[in-house]
């Protein structure tokens, strides 16, 4: 089983709809992240959480919100999806300090 | 603020040839640097990381990278490319200050390997 699990893996939704992407982890890490990947732009940070009570905006948080339901769960919501939010979304986790992040398999979201 | 620049969005090599993927960083503090690989339809997998212990870092699948402070570089190399190396590669630096703990990524380099 994957250590960082994202659901759904693929989703097509209509403009204006609310959608939630979910992430759960079994690594026991306190820190969790949501990134967005667009071709030619690399990965950009949307939100991050250093523990259950600590949530912070990243580089591109507009149009997104998050919820840290538990140490192991971190959800990303698009309140009213728009076509330019079509992208590949990644959840990641890490320990505190200067360590690497561990990534889920990604959610491919298409907004039509 | 930290940043990463990857030179070349696409690199093509022949099987058996040297792979060189370039990464330059900007950091006001001693950097912690990472290379990740992304195979098609998959997530990111860590190739190697520099955490100040040694300037030449060896990773998985025969890749290595050398940290050069004077050049602010952390280029990724592999002596002999294999078809299975075809993927997208991302260089990343760990943030500091308020964003400490976050990884800041370059835009990626797509590696093609020709038979």
């Amino acid at each position: 089983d994957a250590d960082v699990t994202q659901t759904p893996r693929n989703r097509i939704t209509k403009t204006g709809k609310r959608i939630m992407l979910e992430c759960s982890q079994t690594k026991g890490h306190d820190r969790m992240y949501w990134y967005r990947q667009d071709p030619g732009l690399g990965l950009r940070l949307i939100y991050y959480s250093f523990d259950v009570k600590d949530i912070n905006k990243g580089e591109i948080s507009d149009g997104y919100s998050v919820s840290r339901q538990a140490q192991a769960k971190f959800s990303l919501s698009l309140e009213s999806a728009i076509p330019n939010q079509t992208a590949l979304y990644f959840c990641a986790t890490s320990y505190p300090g200067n360590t690497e992040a561990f990534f889920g398999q990604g959610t491919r979201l298409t907004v039509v | 603020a930290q940043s990463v620049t990857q030179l070349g969005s696409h690199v093509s090599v022949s099987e058996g040839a040297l792979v060189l993927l370039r990464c330059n960083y900007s950091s006001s503090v001693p950097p912690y640097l990472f290379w990740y690989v992304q195979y098609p339809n998959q997530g990111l997998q860590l190739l190697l990381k520099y955490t100040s212990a040694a300037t030449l870092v060896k990773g998985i699948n025969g890749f290595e990278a050398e940290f050069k402070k004077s050049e602010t570089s952390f280029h990724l190399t592999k002596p002999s490319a294999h078809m299975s190396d075809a993927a997208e590669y991302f260089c990343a630096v760990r943030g500091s200050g308020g964003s400490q703990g976050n990884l800041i990524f370059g835009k990626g380099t797509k590696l093609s390997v020709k038979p």
Side-chain angles (χ1 to χ4, degrees):
Chain A
D1 290 338
D3 295 322
V4 183
T5 303
Q6 293 183 232
T7 55
R9 292 292 312 278
N10 289 280
R11 180 73 182 267
I12 300 174
T13 192
K14 293 183 177 180
T15 298
K17 293 290 188 182
R18 183 179 189 274
I19 183 169
M20 178 182 288
L21 309 183
E22 299 187 339
C23 176
S24 62
Q25 53 116 345
T26 58
K27 300 190 75 67
H29 293 165
D30 286 327
R31 297 185 171 190
M32 298 187 74
Y33 312 83
W34 276 104
Y35 285 91
R36 167 179 172 159
Q37 183 182 14
D38 297 278
L41 297 181
L43 280 80
R44 292 179 292 167
L45 185 64
I46 306 172
Y47 270 94
Y48 60 102
S49 171
F50 284 176
D51 64 44
V52 175
K53 296 181 180 179
D54 178 56
I55 293 179
N56 304 278
K57 293 182 178 180
E59 178 187 356
I60 53 164
S61 60
D62 287 349
Y64 302 95
S65 62
V66 292
S67 172
R68 185 81 184 266
Q69 299 95 326
Q71 186 208 36
K73 296 184 181 295
F74 192 37
S75 300
L76 176 72
S77 293
L78 286 67
E79 298 301 327
S80 179
I82 57 176
N84 77 0
Q85 291 178 313
T86 293
L88 186 55
Y89 290 84
F90 285 104
C91 175
T93 72
S94 76
Y95 284 117
N98 296 308
T99 63
E100 68 269 30
F102 297 84
F103 285 80
Q105 293 291 85
T107 295
R108 187 168 296 280
L109 177 66
T110 303
V111 183
V112 298
Chain B
Q2 283 74 17
S3 66
V4 169
T5 301
Q6 291 184 240
L7 299 177
S9 58
H10 288 87
V11 170
S12 181
V13 301
S14 297
E15 191 172 21
L18 171 72
V19 175
L20 171 61
L21 304 182
R22 300 177 186 273
C23 173
N24 288 90
Y25 68 90
S26 172
S27 177
S28 57
V29 298
Y32 290 85
L33 296 158
F34 306 83
W35 275 101
Y36 282 84
V37 60
Q38 183 182 29
Y39 298 105
N41 300 314
Q42 294 190 25
L44 278 72
Q45 177 183 3
L46 181 71
L47 270 179
L48 49 80
K49 61 182 178 182
Y50 168 74
T51 57
S52 77
T55 56
L56 182 62
V57 182
K58 294 188 184 298
I60 61 171
N61 302 337
F63 284 92
E64 62 182 36
E66 186 173 9
F67 172 72
K68 292 188 177 181
K69 184 178 179 180
S70 61
E71 299 177 7
T72 61
S73 69
F74 190 56
H75 301 330
L76 182 71
T77 61
K78 182 174 180 177
S80 177
H82 191 273
M83 296 296 291
S84 61
D85 294 327
E88 190 159 18
Y89 293 79
F90 293 93
C91 183
V93 63
R94 185 161 286 287
S96 65
S99 64
Q100 188 175 22
N102 301 331
L103 289 180
I104 299 163
F105 286 86
K107 295 184 178 182
T109 298
K110 192 164 290 188
L111 175 67
S112 300
V113 182
K114 299 175 291 187

